[in-house]
Amino acid sequence: MGLLDGLFGKRRLAPEARAALEHYLTAADPLWQWLESEYRQWLERMGVGRGTDMTIAHDPRGEHSGVFVWRTIETERMLTQLQPPPPAARLHDMWVRCVRARHEAASAMYDALQVAEVRSPRAALVEAGRTLAEAERLQQQAEQERAAVGRLLA
């Protein structure tokens, strides 16, 4: 590392830190990508766009939401249990908070839609929409943080 590298924004990782970061990303990136794919498919099956009003979701008995939770729970667990190296700690936190918010929203939708014939699911669906909006914000922050982490390896 040159004497002036840190002064002009170029930050280099020590070889051990680089190896730890690459190891983490090798494990975490595929999990995140799979969870993203499942999320997009879940929204598509319900006929809604990202961050939209969940009261218009086509999921009459919560089947799509329940399947989403069932299909992603193990991958979520695997991602959340990874131990990120310090340069990836913020990224990991964003990913974990995002998948937890998605899980919470889908579970709430499933629960509310299962009893929709007895009790209006509207309040739960509105809250799920708010939770998913927060998940979207976290996902965008995670994308920015992933780009920053990628720059460390460049």
Side-chain angles (χ1 to χ4, degrees):
M1 181 161 133
L3 179 63
L4 300 177
D5 282 351
L7 293 176
F8 297 105
K10 189 169 184 174
R11 186 172 143 201
R12 294 187 186 250
L13 294 174
E16 306 82 32
R18 173 179 282 281
L21 184 56
E22 288 172 345
H23 179 73
Y24 170 77
L25 293 174
T26 298
D29 275 339
L31 298 173
W32 174 252
Q33 293 306 319
W34 191 83
L35 289 166
E36 275 292 292
S37 174
E38 287 294 320
Y39 178 64
R40 286 189 299 273
Q41 289 176 45
W42 172 51
L43 294 179
E44 186 178 305
R45 286 183 190 112
M46 293 188 305
V48 297
R50 294 179 98 152
T52 61
D53 180 4
M54 299 313 281
T55 61
I56 63 169
H58 179 67
D59 195 7
R61 301 279 302 151
E63 298 94 350
H64 298 307
S65 299
V67 168
F68 171 74
V69 169
W70 178 78
R71 286 183 52 89
T72 58
I73 197 163
E74 182 62 20
T75 306
E76 288 174 10
R77 184 191 63 76
M78 291 168 55
L79 178 68
T80 60
Q81 289 183 348
L82 291 175
Q83 296 297 315
R90 182 168 158 72
L91 170 63
H92 183 77
D93 181 57
M94 294 296 154
W95 277 345
V96 168
R97 290 172 54 203
C98 180
V99 298
R100 284 185 177 158
R102 291 174 180 175
H103 182 99
E104 179 184 321
S107 293
M109 288 180 65
Y110 174 78
D111 291 344
L113 294 168
Q114 286 290 299
V115 296
E117 294 173 2
V118 178
R119 180 179 40 216
S120 172
R122 182 162 180 71
L125 296 177
V126 168
E127 185 58 32
R130 281 191 209 116
T131 303
L132 287 177
E134 174 65 11
E136 288 291 320
R137 185 185 65 75
L138 291 165
Q139 187 259 340
Q140 290 171 356
Q141 289 177 341
E143 285 178 5
Q144 293 170 354
E145 192 62 30
R146 178 61 182 92
V149 168
R151 287 190 296 275
L152 288 175
L153 295 172

